[in-house]
Amino acid sequence: MRENPFRTGLEQSRRSEPVTVVIFGATGDLTRRKLLPALLSLFRAGVTRLQVVGFARRSWGTEGFRERAHEYLADAPDVSDEQRSAFIQTLTYVESSFDDEAGYRNLAEGLTGNCLYYLSTPPASYEAIIHGLGRAGLAEDGDGFRRIIVEKPFGRDLASAQALNAVLAEHFREDQIYRIDHYLGKETVQNIMLMRFGNGIFEPIWNHRYIDHVQITVSERLGLEGRGNYYDSSGALRDMVQNHMFQLLTLTAMEPPTDLGADSIRDEKVKVVRAVRPIGADAIESHTVRAQYDGGRVDGEPVPGYLDEEGVPAGSHTESYVALKVFIDSWRWSGIPFYLRTGKRLRRKVSEIAVTFREPPLKLYANRHPTMNRNTLIIRIQPEEGITLRVNTKIPGYTFDMRPVNVDFAYGSAFGAATLEAYERLLFDAMVGDSTLYTRRDEIEASWRFVDGILAAWNRSDRPPHRYAPGSSGPDAADKMLTADGRRWRRL
Ligand code: BG6
């Protein structure tokens, strides 16, 4: 078996004490797709001794849970049958509704040592579970730690996020609470900080004097994938911008922390969120674009339009695409636009941050190259994780013709292995008590405050969402937002 250097890093440097992971909503999709595979991988890597308890309403029983786990994990990479079976033997199941005290008493009976609770249910059940744990005495550190991971969505506006934070704070201390954002588990996202602060060459030019603008893109090819009910009550702004895109924004824009402590880093991130200029009614037309995809064909296959997706009510104004022009009112970023765009049913799945630098001060080559490309540093989060610098280069020959070329670093070829799954890294961090890659209360509330302002302005406007063709790069209105500033989106 080929060694994975990312996992080797995890194995060599850090280990967790034995821990019991209790998954609330163990019969759900996230458990199948992400949590069980990530836990199996941690088990296989031997970084911790693990027990897993599923807690859910369906009457699966321990045997039923184990049988399904066998099915879900049948194709797990890099594990032997023995390892898989040994992991599945650690699984047990508590059948209970989330507001039934007896269920928590049952759970408490078998529970000793360190416990990590994972809320992976629909958010409507969070409050009942948090109270259930608290009232059963399961929130107090006893013979081991008690920690709780809360899945997204964490609220649907500032008020509901504050309410959820208040319920959590009734039973758990802040240092026991882990608000997950799986983007922070992505290797390349973690590398943003390391690249900026672990090298000497970037920081001196990482500011309004040398940078022209920044583009952050998270585009997806897929549509709603049967999640119409949830998605329509959310929309791209809540589903992607408030959390994932704001993480990318803060890591790109933050000041260097004084040390690598979780709170030192998160202090700097929250300062960025607070410095983001609110977008109110006066800027809503010029600084935001919301849109929905039409029906059509993608790769020859017919696909429904957003309004024809199951679970989407007629006449919905919920956006499947959003583009924003954001300013950070700080010394470093004064006057520099950050353009953010995210949407479903677009041409390609790509997540990247592109930092475009200003043109050289003297236009020596302007006569020959009136449209000379500006240097751009592209941090590719997915796919093909890596970093690319676009630099203008002389084309070989008798002239001084130039062309931009890529100076490329690809994770795959530099390290020869796939990166760790985000959930594996994040679960591990919660096990060892490192909350650096989790979102703090003040950060989440500050980002909701920004999002709420836009939602309110949209609600007051009677302009329906713009439209875009499935498989396209997005609506024309988003292109116009940039051309109005003399800029262009990077090609999707
Ligand atoms: C989730 C959103 O948080 O992130 C989904 O709810 C989205 O709508 C997903 O598809 C994207 O994650 P990734 O890792 O595939 O970029």
Side-chain angles (χ1 to χ4, degrees):
M1 215 180 304
R2 190 124 172 248
E3 270 314 305
N4 179 341
F6 299 97
R7 185 167 286 115
T8 310
L10 204 61
E11 286 167 23
Q12 280 173 355
S13 52
R14 300 161 89 197
R15 254 170 220 290
S16 148
E17 291 170 29
V19 57
T20 302
V21 179
V22 184
I23 306 177
F24 291 91
T27 54
D29 195 45
L30 189 75
T31 308
R32 174 175 64 81
R33 283 188 306 114
K34 299 288 183 190
L35 301 183
L36 286 178
L39 289 167
L40 168 60
S41 204
L42 287 165
F43 178 87
R44 185 207 71 82
V47 291
T48 181
R49 279 221 321 279
L50 206 56
Q51 304 272 353
V52 180
V53 182
F55 189 111
R57 281 177 286 224
R58 291 196 212 168
S59 43
W60 280 8
T62 292
E63 276 320 302
F65 188 32
R66 288 182 183 172
E67 270 165 35
R68 281 164 181 101
H70 268 292
E71 245 171 68
Y72 302 158
L73 298 171
D75 299 328
D78 299 343
V79 277
S80 65
D81 287 349
E82 292 74 41
Q83 286 167 333
R84 187 180 10 251
S85 298
F87 169 70
I88 289 172
Q89 277 308 310
T90 76
L91 269 52
T92 55
Y93 188 84
V94 175
E95 177 192 332
S96 173
S97 70
F98 298 124
D99 49 13
D100 181 2
E101 286 184 14
Y104 296 88
R105 280 199 301 275
N106 277 348
L107 175 66
E109 263 171 36
L111 224 50
T112 51
N114 300 317
C115 294
L116 183 59
Y117 309 119
Y118 201 115
L119 301 195
S120 160
T121 63
S125 303
Y126 287 177
E127 196 173 328
I129 299 168
I130 297 161
H131 283 313
L133 286 169
R135 288 179 189 142
L138 290 171
E140 287 151 32
D141 297 333
D143 50 352
F145 65 69
R146 299 282 191 269
R147 295 181 188 140
I148 185 164
I149 301 184
V150 187
E151 248 307 325
K152 76 173 272 267
F154 194 98
R156 51 171 286 106
D157 52 21
L158 175 60
S160 52
Q162 283 172 329
L164 179 53
N165 274 328
V167 174
L168 279 163
E170 268 181 54
H171 303 288
F172 293 90
R173 297 182 314 273
E174 179 64 25
D175 67 279
Q176 292 176 288
I177 304 169
Y178 291 73
R179 299 172 193 81
I180 203 164
D181 183 316
H182 79 278
Y183 262 60
L184 286 175
K186 292 182 192 275
E187 199 70 47
T188 349
V189 173
Q190 292 160 42
N191 194 35
I192 300 171
M193 251 184 68
L194 205 127
M195 192 197 84
R196 287 187 55 200
F197 307 134
N199 293 294
I201 62 167
F202 296 115
E203 268 320 281
I205 54 170
W206 208 258
N207 57 52
H208 66 98
R209 276 189 291 279
Y210 298 95
I211 289 177
D212 178 77
H213 74 279
V214 178
Q215 292 185 17
I216 303 181
T217 300
V218 177
S219 66
E220 297 185 271
R221 270 173 68 83
L222 294 177
L224 299 193
E225 302 300 295
R227 297 160 78 219
N229 269 328
Y230 154 73
Y231 192 86
D232 193 72
S233 67
S234 166
L237 190 65
R238 289 188 173 103
D239 188 47
M240 299 296 287
V241 176
Q242 180 273 328
N243 37 66
H244 308 324
M245 297 200 76
F246 257 61
Q247 292 301 338
L248 303 182
L249 177 73
T250 50
L251 289 166
T252 307
M254 69 190 271
E255 297 300 318
T258 43
D259 58 60
L260 293 181
D263 276 326
S264 307
I265 292 173
R266 296 187 301 177
D267 284 345
E268 296 306 332
K269 286 172 65 193
V270 79
K271 280 188 209 161
V272 175
V273 187
R274 292 208 183 109
V276 171
R277 189 186 303 165
I279 300 180
D282 54 327
I284 201 77
E285 292 297 332
S286 53
H287 289 48
T288 76
V289 172
R290 63 170 164 166
Q292 290 175 342
Y293 55 82
D294 283 326
R297 285 185 173 274
V298 172
D299 296 338
E301 295 294 319
V303 294
Y306 180 77
L307 290 171
D308 297 322
E309 294 273 16
E310 215 183 306
V312 174
S316 165
H317 277 186
T318 301
E319 73 290 355
S320 59
Y321 174 101
V322 60
L324 302 178
K325 177 156 99 174
V326 167
F327 287 96
I328 299 170
D329 288 329
S330 68
W331 197 273
R332 183 190 285 260
W333 295 115
S334 180
I336 302 304
F338 285 70
Y339 299 101
L340 276 50
R341 62 176 162 167
T342 181
K344 300 217 179 259
R345 278 267 184 267
L346 293 167
R347 191 194 302 273
R348 271 196 326 130
K349 179 170 174 74
V350 48
S351 300
E352 64 167 39
I353 299 164
V355 179
T356 297
F357 292 88
R358 291 186 187 277
E359 287 178 348
L362 181 63
K363 311 265 177 311
L364 275 179
Y365 297 93
N367 283 344
R368 295 159 194 260
H369 302 282
T371 58
M372 197 174 84
N373 282 282
R374 296 185 178 119
N375 299 130
T376 303
L377 181 75
I378 303 135
I379 303 172
R380 282 178 277 117
I381 293 149
Q382 59 193 22
E384 289 146 27
E385 295 94 333
I387 297 170
T388 298
L389 180 63
R390 303 262 297 161
V391 288
N392 294 311
T393 310
K394 182 181 172 306
I395 297 175
Y398 300 115
T399 70
F400 271 103
D401 285 346
M402 66 165 87
R403 209 187 70 187
V405 295
N406 289 347
V407 181
D408 240 332
F409 150 68
Y411 263 85
S413 46
F415 292 105
T419 51
L420 274 191
E421 262 290 317
Y423 277 90
E424 184 176 345
R425 167 67 200 247
L426 292 175
L427 275 163
F428 179 78
D429 280 5
M431 288 172 185
V432 295
D434 183 347
S435 53
T436 313
L437 301 178
Y438 285 86
T439 318
R440 209 169 56 186
R441 177 178 185 154
D442 48 355
E443 189 180 348
I444 241 169
E445 292 184 2
S447 58
W448 273 122
R449 196 167 283 121
F450 172 78
V451 163
D452 274 6
I454 297 179
L455 289 170
W458 277 350
N459 283 339
R460 280 196 299 271
S461 125
D462 45 15
R463 179 199 268 277
H466 294 277
R467 325 250 13 126
Y468 60 101
S472 72
S473 303
D476 292 345
D479 294 338
K480 287 192 189 127
M481 185 167 86
L482 265 72
T483 42
D485 293 348
R487 302 187 176 100
R488 271 196 324 231
W489 289 111
R490 283 173 42 75
R491 269 197 35 213
L492 267 193

